[in-house]
Amino acid sequence: MQLGIESGMATYSTNEFKSGLKIMIDNAPCNIVENEFVKPGKGQAFNRVKIRNLITGRVVEKTFKSGESVEAADVMEDDYQYLYNDGEAYHFMHPTSFEQVAADNNAVGDAAKWLKEEDVVMLTLWNDNPISVTPPNFVELDVVETDPGLKGDTSGSGGKPATLSTGAVVRVPLFVQIGETIKCDTRSGEYVSRVK
Amino acid sequence: MKKLPAKNECWRPSAAITALRQRAELLCCIRQFFADQKVWEVDPPLLAQFGVSDPHLDNFCADFGDRRYLQTSPEYAMKRLLAAGSGDIYSLGKAFRPDEQGQHHNAEFTLLEWYRIGWNHHQLMDEVAALVCMILGCNQPEKWTYCQLFEDFVGCNPITASDTELDQTMRQHRLEDVLVATGERDDKLAMLMHYVIEPQIGQHAPCFVYDYPASQAALARLSKDDSKVAERFELYYQGVELANGYHELTDPEAQASRFRTDNQIRERLEKAQVNSDWRLISALESGLPDCAGVALGVDRLLMLKLGCATIAEVLPFAWDRA
């Protein structure tokens, strides 16, 4: 990373581009998902990148002339423990510095339905403010509501919806009952197993 | 996302040892091929007093009181040898192009370049085909003119299409973001070539593309029958750009004029002006024999032979480990 002397901003040159690099595009922090260097036999070289806007989650393609500089985004990702929701914001604590941060509904988004107090999640912070929350790949949650279902049907063929303690609704096999704890995959939103 | 190897593993070669042994065999094979053809090997200097004029290439510079330039190809030196009466020659060595880093690019790479006296680009394409087929054991290459490819795969004529037409064509092929970044007409053509044509050609057999628009002549002569096209060719195979060749420009005045044009384009691109290599012009004035020449990426050839996806897999130590 170089310091642009005139502006005092940190910038990256296209030859530093790689997936995972965080850059500012149209005033929004973005993550480079894919970087392709294109150099015709004779002609201008380009870097064509797929970038994810870290605020909206949208992925777009963008092309830069090789050698151009792009402002770096002050984005960092770290593990935080989820504490509680006070109705206005979700509160998290860094496990070693004990520093606390609050994230609003926009930042938490869909992750809210997987947040269980004391679970460790990954926060993405831009200029020290949380902009997104990534829950653990697997979470264990209690079933608070589901149809009692048919006794003896253990095939799990059809399944039924179950509401979990966090408000998430997942399809579970018919044998799963209220009060039981189940393991879910937060990436697919699917039931994995019962937890004894 | 690919994780970087732990720091303590970075001493290791980028390529497997077996790949490096095949690299040694490939170099041997190339030298034998030229020995059989009675083309002799030369090793031109890497640190020369002049850099490249091509506006889209740059040199690494080394300063020892006077400035020297790591060569982007041995072309200028080899043409001076040809003008001095060397006869058919080849060079198999390193070339350097800063800022070229990617799946198929390493800023330091191995280039095979050779020249045939009295040949045109078609005769040289036949010899490139013989070498490549021998090494890769592949089918005989196809041949397409640049114009025919654009007409069949892109649906426009690259020489007569208006700028508006080209812009529309790029949008049709979902290259809006590329369009925004490209200023010059030739950049647009190059990107249509890369994103639309290249994926469709040279999959089952290598593919020669020849007779480029005159604006992309580089150091090729213009066709006697049609001055809108240059007698230049490239070879593509399985998404890899493998070789670039010319029926060489021998006219010193035309050469000097191309040096001037390159500097004009450099000015437009806000790049530093380049001192033209007057020794090359003098060599041409003294008389460069009618000849054809080609440069072929040896690392890429090995990638294709071994089925590797990245150039790093065939280099002892790729850029990040060198």
Side-chain angles (χ1 to χ4, degrees), chain A residues 15 18-20 36-49 61-68, chain B residues 1 54 56-57 99-102 105 174-175 177-178 181-182 187 190-191 194-195 218 232 234 241 244 246:
Chain A
N15 59 26
K18 59 184 174 194
S19 51
E36 188 197 9
F37 175 75
V38 188
K39 171 78 175 85
K42 300 286 167 198
Q44 169 74 42
F46 295 95
N47 284 68
R48 194 177 195 209
V49 292
E61 284 186 302
K62 199 161 169 70
T63 301
F64 298 89
K65 277 199 179 100
S66 295
E68 273 187 79
Chain B
M1 188 172 36
D54 187 316
H56 299 300
L57 290 180
D99 289 339
E100 297 199 2
Q101 245 358 85
H105 293 82
R174 313 195 55 144
L175 294 170
D177 62 297
V178 180
T182 50
D187 291 344
M191 292 298 106
H194 179 80
Y195 285 109
R232 171 183 164 201
E234 289 217 24
E241 189 189 313
N244 177 39
Y246 313 129

Side-chain angles (χ1 to χ4, degrees), chain B residues 174-284:
Chain B
R174 313 195 55 144
L175 294 170
E176 289 93 344
D177 62 297
V178 180
L179 179 60
V180 171
T182 50
E184 312 264 328
R185 182 183 173 90
D186 284 319
D187 291 344
K188 292 175 188 174
L189 293 176
M191 292 298 106
L192 284 167
M193 180 67 136
H194 179 80
Y195 285 109
V196 183
I197 299 174
E198 275 183 44
Q200 303 187 67
I201 60 169
Q203 295 304 319
H204 306 295
C207 180
F208 283 109
V209 182
Y210 66 99
D211 288 358
Y212 277 65
S215 55
Q216 298 178 33
L219 301 187
R221 66 174 60 189
L222 300 184
S223 163
K224 274 201 187 100
D225 309 322
D226 179 0
S227 63
K228 291 191 184 69
V229 301
E231 296 189 337
R232 171 183 164 201
F233 66 90
E234 289 217 24
L235 178 62
Y236 292 96
Y237 190 35
Q238 295 175 348
V240 176
E241 189 189 313
L242 201 52
N244 177 39
Y246 313 129
H247 188 187
E248 301 291 347
L249 182 68
T250 52
D251 175 354
E253 273 170 39
Q255 178 65 59
S257 146
R258 289 200 194 171
F259 275 157
R260 282 194 297 274
T261 310
D262 282 347
N263 265 334
Q264 282 160 8
I265 298 175
R266 282 176 168 268
E267 200 172 339
R268 269 213 306 279
L269 299 174
E270 296 175 3
K271 292 181 75 167
Q273 297 287 297
V274 166
N275 281 334
S276 305
D277 186 348
W278 56 267
R279 293 190 174 102
L280 176 67
I281 305 284
S282 302
L284 265 55

Side-chain angles (χ1 to χ4, degrees), chain B residues 94-134:
Chain B
K94 291 295 182 78
F96 299 84
R97 297 182 185 180
D99 289 339
E100 297 199 2
Q101 245 358 85
Q103 223 188 329
H104 297 165
H105 293 82
N106 196 66
E108 175 177 345
F109 62 103
T110 299
L111 195 61
L112 167 66
E113 183 153 327
W114 77 97
Y115 291 84
R116 289 297 217 156
I117 309 275
W119 287 19
N120 64 22
H121 58 315
H122 288 284
Q123 289 165 296
L124 189 56
M125 276 188 258
D126 290 343
E127 188 165 59
V128 173
L131 175 68
V132 168
C133 290
M134 176 192 79

Side-chain angles (χ1 to χ4, degrees), chain A residues 108-183:
Chain A
V108 177
D110 273 354
K113 66 181 183 190
W114 303 115
L115 289 184
K116 192 173 80 177
E117 289 169 10
E118 294 181 20
D119 272 1
V120 173
V121 302
M122 192 182 72
L123 287 195
T124 305
L125 298 110
W126 173 41
N127 298 334
D128 299 326
N129 296 310
I131 51 169
S132 77
V133 176
T134 312
N137 291 346
F138 297 101
V139 291
E140 292 179 2
L141 297 168
D142 296 340
V143 177
V144 295
E145 204 186 309
T146 189
D147 201 50
L150 292 168
K151 279 235 160 81
D153 183 345
T154 54
S155 67
S157 52
K160 59 182 180 180
T163 307
L164 309 181
S165 51
T166 54
V169 177
V170 296
R171 273 203 95 69
V172 298
L174 296 178
F175 57 76
V176 171
Q177 299 301 329
I178 295 174
E180 286 184 309
T181 305
I182 61 166
K183 183 174 172 182

